[in-house]
Amino acid sequence: MKMIIGLGNPGKPYEHTRHNIGFDVVDELANRFNSPLNQMKFKGMYTIVHRPEGKVLLVKPLTYMNLSGECVVPMMDYYEIAEEDIVVIYDDLDLSVGKLRLRQKGSAGGHNGIKSMIHHLGTQNFNRIRVGVDRPPAGMKVPDYVLSRFTSEEKPLMDEALKKSADACEDWLSSPFLEVMNRFNGA
């Protein structure tokens, strides 16, 4: 079984904000697989998809970003999923809007959701898809920026990034993550 985790914050005010791109990618996958996230367990919303490549768990932690690991690790334990069989999708301020960067390990880079994941997993070694949201404009605080929505100019770039992130996740179901990384980081 593989597990695809989209990081974000629950609730209407946070929908489709920069910080919730992980949720948006998981929603895109749920739509593609025709499998709505309608189950709740371990402070998360999820669905299990039966694919030719095997079972896939799509997860949106409902703990708020800073506590994401509190949902993910108990779910991994319950379903006996190893670190190498997860991928985490989240926003990244250090990448330009719509740019993707896939990695197999690394630090949190100041991202509180990833800090929580590393803390609860006890390792930095897990697959991730970072989706660029860029830095805030001068004078705007980071929390206000990541909780804002994309501009009309940014929206097409983010729509494309969302689709490419979902494509990368689908590709990973039948290919090693390193191969997926090589394909999508060069794109």
Side-chain angles (χ1 to χ4, degrees), residues 5-78:
I5 304 124
L7 299 189
N9 287 315
K12 207 95 174 119
Y14 303 105
E15 284 180 7
H16 311 298
T17 60
R18 295 169 193 279
H19 222 22
N20 271 35
I21 190 66
F23 273 18
D24 292 341
V25 173
V26 166
D27 287 339
E28 169 70 14
L29 287 165
N31 287 336
R32 288 184 186 189
F33 299 154
N34 196 25
S35 186
L37 286 94
N38 56 11
Q39 298 179 68
M40 300 281 288
K41 187 178 282 190
F42 303 115
K43 303 178 190 173
M45 185 179 291
Y46 74 101
T47 187
I48 297 173
V49 183
H50 298 270
R51 301 268 306 168
E53 306 91 341
K55 290 181 189 173
V56 183
L57 194 61
L58 300 178
V59 179
K60 294 190 330 189
L62 300 179
T63 54
Y64 289 92
M65 184 66 79
N66 299 358
L67 304 174
S68 299
E70 287 183 12
C71 162
V72 174
V73 173
M75 205 168 276
M76 287 173 67
D77 292 344
Y78 184 82

